[in-house]
Amino acid sequence: MPGFNATRLERIGGWMQSYVDRKRFAGASVLIAQGGKEVYYHDCGLRDVAQAAPWQRDTVARIYSMTKPVTSVALMMLAEKGLFHLDAPVSDFIPSFGEMTCLVEGATALDQVVPCETPTLHQLLTHTSGLSYAFNPGVLGQAMTDQKIEFHGDRETLAQACDRAAALPLAFAPGARWNYSIGIDVIGRVIEVASGKALEQFLVDEIFDPLGMDETRFSVPAQARDRFAACYTPLAGNAFSTGKVEKAEDSLRLIDGSDKSPFLKTELHSGGGGLVGTIDDYLKFTEMMRTGGAGVIGPKTLAFMMRNHLGSDIASMGPDSFAEQAMEGTGFGIGGAVLLDPARARALGSVGDFSWGGMASTCFWIDPVFDLSVIFFTQLIPSSSYPARPQLRALVHGAMT
């Protein structure tokens, strides 16, 4: 098994500091483990610019869509108990999805629809359900924006949010395309129905407590409030926009402070993007996945999750949505991306890498060839602002001997 060149590893710290010096990131941390042993950690910058508070190892950050693999593991834990099959329609758990329609090809209005099948649990997990996100282009994305179907905030319960999403047509017939979506938020509600527990309670009982992830929750733990990071954007308009928008004069414009954030007390638990936590907590989760379940979930189930569940790569399925990383040469498993061809993805890595990221520019990947877990934390929205993820991959692989 190749190791690491210490001098080359130190390049990572310089690269991170350059992002801080240029006011691209307020602060950041990276953690690399190989074979379960830490080989590199570095942090720099500030977790809160106004308070001049340093970014440290125990900083609590919003991980947004890095919540998705956690929720996906939870669903598969229930599947292991024989409670359902992945081809089950979601309407078995959420009846409002029983009578579905989808937009016709090229639709310009919300009423241009035809009847279609109900999405399955597998399609929700793999973003092939026909659901969307409010920030995605098209008729459905605009309708979600207008109706504020966002799966965050405390205006409604998770059950109510799912029912409102079910009232809209799908962007396409389930299984026809790949489209980044609220599908795993809906899976969060499926977990509640199937388990009889609130989503957070199920995660605490079945994943967080067994793994010792004591500071990963949907609300910032009381003991960690003085370590919660602020979140920034370089954009002048909507920070959650993934299109071309005007840059702000301040490249670190505050959009969610550490003292007044909705994450300090969250009622609606977003299984697709609602968790906060520390970098060491997330390492416990990635190491559980890398090593075969740690008694939390079966190794065969994890191997199944970390395979490509699409016919080819994401790009072959005609997506017009945002994604957290390259679509060419990248497939998708249960809750995360699977690297199929590093050359086509134009990013260093091993075939079979399992990964994903979050809207605030966090990311992780698990390399089964070199027994790696790599986690990067920062707090900048949107994650498409800078090419930090492929740059970090190049730095990590460039340091290997």
Side-chain angles (χ1 to χ4, degrees):
M1 181 67 62
F4 286 88
N5 179 288
T7 301
R8 286 173 173 258
L9 273 177
E10 289 304 320
R11 293 175 178 174
I12 297 173
W15 167 78
M16 291 168 61
Q17 188 63 51
S18 73
Y19 265 81
V20 171
D21 291 345
R22 288 180 288 173
K23 293 190 66 178
R24 291 185 166 188
F25 295 150
S29 55
V30 67
L31 178 55
I32 305 171
Q34 184 177 40
K37 296 181 179 180
E38 181 177 320
V39 296
Y40 185 77
Y41 173 81
H42 183 75
D43 59 53
C44 60
L46 302 173
R47 70 167 183 268
D48 190 308
V49 173
Q51 297 179 17
W55 188 290
Q56 297 175 320
R57 186 158 183 158
D58 61 357
T59 292
V60 173
R62 304 155 192 79
I63 64 171
Y64 284 110
S65 287
M66 282 167 59
T67 304
K68 288 179 170 68
V70 179
T71 304
S72 298
V73 165
L75 191 280
M76 294 306 298
M77 292 171 69
L78 293 171
E80 280 188 331
K81 296 181 179 181
L83 299 181
F84 47 77
H85 187 269
L86 293 185
D87 283 335
V90 66
S91 54
D92 284 359
F93 306 89
I94 308 174
S96 55
F97 280 96
E99 300 290 335
M100 298 303 297
T101 62
C102 65
L103 295 168
V104 300
E105 189 70 28
T108 57
L110 206 59
D111 60 357
Q112 297 173 355
V113 299
V114 294
C116 68
E117 297 293 324
T118 293
T120 66
L121 302 183
H122 186 264
Q123 289 163 341
L124 293 170
L125 290 163
T126 58
H127 298 298
T128 58
S129 66
L131 291 169
S132 190
Y133 263 123
F135 53 69
N136 281 337
V139 173
L140 181 56
Q142 186 59 55
M144 293 178 71
T145 298
D146 294 342
Q147 297 183 29
K148 292 182 167 46
I149 299 176
E150 300 166 332
F151 285 85
H152 62 75
D154 298 327
R155 298 183 306 274
E156 58 191 346
T157 65
L158 179 55
Q160 290 168 335
C162 287
D163 287 344
R164 290 205 300 128
L168 291 173
L170 300 173
F172 49 82
R177 284 167 37 202
W178 191 93
N179 197 62
Y180 198 38
S181 76
I182 59 171
I184 298 180
D185 281 298
V186 176
I187 287 292
R189 177 58 184 159
V190 172
I191 291 168
E192 292 188 331
V193 174
S195 70
K197 294 182 178 182
L199 178 59
E200 183 173 62
Q201 192 60 56
F202 184 86
L203 297 181
V204 169
D205 291 346
E206 304 296 334
I207 298 177
F208 299 156
D209 278 357
L211 295 179
M213 297 172 65
D214 299 330
E215 296 194 313
T216 300
R217 297 292 189 272
F218 286 108
S219 297
V220 180
Q223 76 275 11
R225 288 195 169 196
D226 61 349
R227 294 181 274 115
F228 184 43
C231 195
Y232 303 90
T233 185
L235 304 183
N238 181 4
F240 286 86
S241 172
T242 57
K244 291 184 177 179
V245 295
E246 183 182 351
K247 293 290 183 73
E249 290 185 12
D250 182 359
S251 61
L252 292 173
R253 180 172 70 87
L254 179 68
I255 54 170
D256 188 20
S258 59
D259 56 345
K260 296 180 180 180
S261 171
F263 284 95
L264 295 175
K265 183 174 174 54
T266 304
E267 299 297 333
L268 192 156
H269 297 158
S270 167
L275 288 174
V276 299
T278 63
I279 198 167
D280 280 292
D281 263 16
Y282 208 81
L283 178 67
K284 294 172 184 176
F285 178 76
T286 60
E287 281 294 286
M288 177 275 292
M289 294 197 75
R290 185 189 66 82
T291 58
V296 170
I297 190 170
K300 294 293 186 181
T301 304
L302 282 176
F304 171 79
M305 292 179 65
M306 297 168 73
R307 294 175 63 91
N308 181 30
H309 285 240
L310 308 181
S312 183
D313 63 4
I314 296 173
S316 71
M317 296 194 68
D320 58 8
S321 70
F322 168 80
E324 285 291 348
Q325 53 199 59
M327 297 184 186
E328 292 184 349
T330 303
F332 204 84
I334 301 294
V338 181
L339 186 59
L340 305 177
D341 186 337
R344 291 195 63 225
R346 297 173 297 283
L348 285 168
S350 300
V351 173
D353 279 8
F354 186 81
S355 65
W356 206 236
M359 183 61 89
S361 303
T362 59
C363 69
F364 82 95
W365 76 87
I366 300 167
D367 185 326
V369 176
F370 298 119
D371 292 337
L372 292 178
S373 286
V374 181
I375 306 165
F376 179 75
F377 269 24
T378 189
Q379 296 285 264
L380 188 89
I381 296 175
S383 59
S384 55
S385 299
Y386 307 111
R389 292 168 180 170
Q391 289 173 349
L392 179 58
R393 279 183 169 270
L395 284 157
V396 171
H397 281 268
M400 298 181 75
T401 56

